[in-house]
């Protein structure tokens, strides 16, 4: 499973450029199945989630390969609509094969997807949206069997702005006959970017970035070359790493408007932040102050940064409050942080964190992607040596994580 061994106490300083967003690239890979033309995704991160998605697509008959830093996909040879079970259980985004395969082949067979265990993540919104668009979906155990004889536009209204369900609806609706309106759609930058890519393939989508998206169905899509938006979670992780170690960082390749909620919290923590020509400059100033966080759909504070900002709260002066509203079980990292001397009390979906003068190195264990990143950041700030087990989780979402941290001055190695 691998582990990171970290000697803390070093300030991180330097500059980095963001990769393309993991949460944009993965649905774009699914979108590449909608055309027989070649799709090139620029600046694609070499992470295990991309490798797992590529494994699924190859099993369906697509040709997927890296060329330099770009991902090249040709699905002209698509010859199956059955998603391999083992691969589907490794990654949450495998659920997007439902919308993509129904759109391309009219059929899809898969199983309930895998990915990080963050509490209940039901597929109700996905199923109701696809059904409204003309799909017939049955369950056999945990197997999902879907088919369609008539793809039609529909009015879809989500009770909650689900990112995955919005993506599945888009993938299916772009080739459905008529007009589809998605109400209370997710507004995340990655959704806007998926719409941008689909439009570059010949789709006709309006309202991306708002809570009401309109899709005018087209008969077919073409290939494209597309550069996804920068990864706001990766950018946020490195900004917090600089803050928690008392360092300074210059990061590019990310639109500051996509992480305004984080930048506000870092300023609350007394970090100095400047933004010039789409480059973000951060300098940590002394011991930070406590702050409050409440996660929510974009543009609120992202749930994917909730665990990652927690180590900063652990050493801030005062008492911080963190409330999680998106996932029901996303405080597992706090148990591990307590092993490092953190003073954290969790009650249902809220954590109360009383800052301590210093964290102490310890042996801790990652239980999911963002938990792993959070524990690494805690180790960077801690006194002594920290060992973070299960580095494989972190590799799902960060390309060259330890190498980039070493470039910034961290003392970190990965061991098998």
């Amino acid at each position: 499973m691998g582990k990171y061994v970290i000697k803390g106490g070093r300030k991180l300083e330097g500059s980095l450029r963001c990769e393309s967003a993991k949460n944009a690239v993965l649905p774009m890979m699914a979108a590449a199945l909608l055309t027989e033309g070649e799709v090139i995704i620029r600046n694609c991160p070499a992470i295990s989630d991309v490798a797992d998605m590529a494994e699924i697509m190859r099993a369906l008959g697509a040709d997927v390969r890296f060329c330099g830093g770009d991902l090249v996909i040709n699905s002209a040879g698509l010859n199956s609509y059955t998603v391999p079970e083992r691969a589907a259980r490794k990654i949450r985004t495998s659920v997007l094969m439902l919308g993509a395969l129904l759109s391309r082949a009219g059929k899809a067979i898969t199983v309930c997807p895998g990915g990080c265990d963050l509490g209940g993540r039901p597929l109700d919104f996905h199923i109701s949206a696809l059904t409204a668009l003309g799909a017939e979906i049955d369950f056999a155990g945990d197997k999902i069997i879907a088919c369609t004889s008539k793809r039609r536009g529909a009015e879809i209204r989500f009770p909650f702005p689900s990112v995955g369900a919005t993506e599945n609806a888009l993938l299916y609706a772009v080739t459905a006959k008529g007009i589809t309106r998605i109400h209370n759609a997710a507004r995340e930058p990655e959704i806007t970017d998926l719409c941008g890519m689909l439009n570059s393939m010949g789709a006709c989508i309006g309202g991306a970035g708002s809570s009401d998206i309109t899709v005018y169905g087209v008969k077919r899509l073409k290939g494209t070359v597309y550069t996804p938006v920068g990864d706001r979670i990766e950018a946020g992780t490195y900004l917090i790493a600089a803050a928690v170690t008392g360092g300074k960082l210059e990061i590019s390749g990310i639109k500051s408007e996509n992480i305004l909620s984080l930048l506000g919290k870092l300023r609350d923590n007394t970090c100095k932040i400047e933004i010039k020509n789409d480059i973000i400059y951060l300098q940590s100033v002394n011991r930070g102050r406590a702050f409050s966080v409440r996660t929510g759909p974009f543009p609120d504070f992202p749930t994917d940064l909730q665990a990652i900002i927690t180590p900063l709260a652990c050493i801030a002066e005062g008492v911080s409050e963190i409330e999680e509203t998106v996932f029901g079980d996303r405080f597992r990292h706090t148990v591990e942080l307590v092993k490092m001397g953190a003073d954290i009390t969790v009650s249902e979906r809220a954590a109360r964190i009383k800052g301590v003068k210093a964290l102490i190195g310890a042996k801790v264990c990652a239980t999911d992607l963002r938990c792993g990143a959070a524990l690494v950041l805690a180790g960077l700030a801690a006194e002594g040596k920290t060992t973070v087990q299960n580095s494989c989780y972190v590799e799902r979402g960060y390309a060259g994580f330890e190498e980039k941290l070493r470039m910034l001055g961290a003392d970190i190695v990965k061991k098998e």
Side-chain angles (χ1 to χ4, degrees):
M1 301 291 280
K3 62 185 178 182
Y4 295 111
V5 179
I6 306 154
K7 293 180 181 178
R10 293 191 177 190
K11 294 182 179 182
L12 299 193
E13 296 186 358
S15 61
L16 287 175
R17 182 169 182 82
C18 284
E19 310 272 354
S20 289
K22 162 183 124 66
N23 292 333
V25 167
L26 296 176
M28 287 178 182
M29 292 177 71
L33 294 180
L34 303 182
T35 177
E36 294 186 3
E38 185 175 80
V39 171
I40 299 176
I41 301 173
R42 298 288 195 195
N43 190 32
C44 183
I47 55 178
S48 62
D49 268 14
V50 167
D52 291 339
M53 195 69 162
E55 179 186 347
I56 291 173
M57 296 176 69
R58 292 188 187 107
L60 299 173
D63 178 47
V64 186
R65 57 188 172 84
F66 268 100
C67 183
D70 302 335
L71 191 68
V72 181
I73 304 170
N74 191 314
S75 62
L78 193 75
N79 55 24
S80 174
Y81 52 82
T82 301
V83 179
E85 181 175 336
R86 185 186 68 83
R89 293 191 187 282
K90 292 168 67 176
I91 182 170
R92 176 72 180 179
T93 322
S94 65
V95 72
L96 299 183
M97 291 295 108
L98 278 173
L101 288 172
L102 282 169
S103 185
R104 173 74 183 273
K107 297 179 181 179
I109 298 175
T110 187
V111 295
C112 293
C116 292
D117 183 5
L118 305 175
R121 303 172 79 179
L123 300 180
D124 304 29
F125 297 171
H126 298 254
I127 301 304
S128 62
L130 295 174
T131 300
L133 291 163
E136 298 176 5
I137 300 176
D138 293 314
F139 289 85
D142 66 349
K143 185 173 288 188
I144 306 171
I145 304 168
C147 65
T148 182
S149 58
K150 185 177 180 181
R151 283 170 281 172
R152 59 177 183 265
E155 295 281 333
I156 298 169
R157 186 176 298 278
F158 291 123
F160 180 87
S162 164
V163 171
T166 300
E167 290 166 343
N168 243 335
L170 286 167
L171 292 171
Y172 189 25
V174 287
T175 58
K177 185 177 180 180
I179 301 172
T180 298
R181 292 185 175 87
I182 305 173
H183 305 288
N184 201 24
R187 294 184 290 162
E188 273 69 9
E190 296 80 14
I191 294 289
T192 303
D193 218 26
L194 175 61
C195 292
M197 177 189 174
L198 289 168
N199 282 341
S200 76
M201 296 169 68
C204 186
I205 304 172
S210 74
S211 57
D212 291 291
I213 298 175
T214 303
V215 184
Y216 301 88
V218 298
K219 288 185 177 180
R220 62 180 60 86
L221 299 179
K222 60 184 179 181
T224 191
V225 178
Y226 198 85
T227 303
V229 70
D231 195 321
R232 60 196 173 104
I233 307 303
E234 182 194 35
T237 299
Y238 291 117
L239 286 168
I240 296 168
V244 80
T245 61
K248 55 184 178 181
L249 178 68
E250 172 186 312
I251 195 156
S252 58
I254 179 69
K255 295 180 179 179
S256 59
E257 59 264 33
N258 290 345
I259 55 170
L260 287 179
S261 60
L262 169 65
L263 298 180
K265 298 305 174 185
L266 292 174
R267 287 189 176 106
D268 289 347
N269 186 250
T270 71
C271 291
K272 291 183 178 179
I273 296 173
E274 293 184 18
I275 302 167
K276 296 180 181 179
N277 301 322
D278 284 334
I279 300 176
I280 300 172
Y281 303 86
L282 175 142
Q283 182 172 2
S284 181
V285 183
N286 300 320
R287 185 183 181 191
R289 290 192 298 261
F291 51 88
S292 62
V293 164
R294 186 177 191 271
T295 67
F298 188 83
D300 292 344
F301 194 90
T303 180
D304 280 354
L305 286 176
Q306 180 260 107
I308 296 168
I309 203 171
T310 302
L312 188 61
C314 289
I315 58 172
E317 187 173 3
V319 178
S320 298
E321 301 280 347
I322 297 180
E323 182 182 359
E324 172 61 48
T325 72
V326 180
F327 293 116
D329 193 9
R330 204 158 201 180
F331 281 118
R332 296 183 184 181
H333 57 287
T334 61
V335 176
E336 303 302 305
L337 289 171
V338 167
K339 296 177 184 178
M340 301 178 69
D343 186 345
I344 306 175
T345 303
V346 176
S347 177
E348 296 182 351
R349 290 194 173 199
R352 182 179 183 275
I353 305 163
K354 184 178 181 181
V356 297
K357 288 187 177 181
L359 295 173
I360 307 299
K363 291 183 179 180
V364 292
C365 186
T367 57
D368 61 68
L369 165 58
R370 307 306 175 184
C371 167
L375 295 177
V376 169
L377 266 57
L380 294 173
E383 297 177 353
K385 185 175 79 171
T386 297
T387 300
V388 181
Q389 301 282 358
N390 292 347
S391 61
C392 58
Y393 283 118
V394 179
E395 291 161 7
R396 290 189 52 212
Y398 296 90
F401 192 48
E402 70 278 8
E403 289 94 340
K404 291 178 181 178
L405 289 171
R406 278 200 297 269
M407 284 173 51
L408 298 175
D411 186 340
I412 178 173
V413 295
K414 190 181 78 170
K415 297 183 178 181
E416 300 301 329

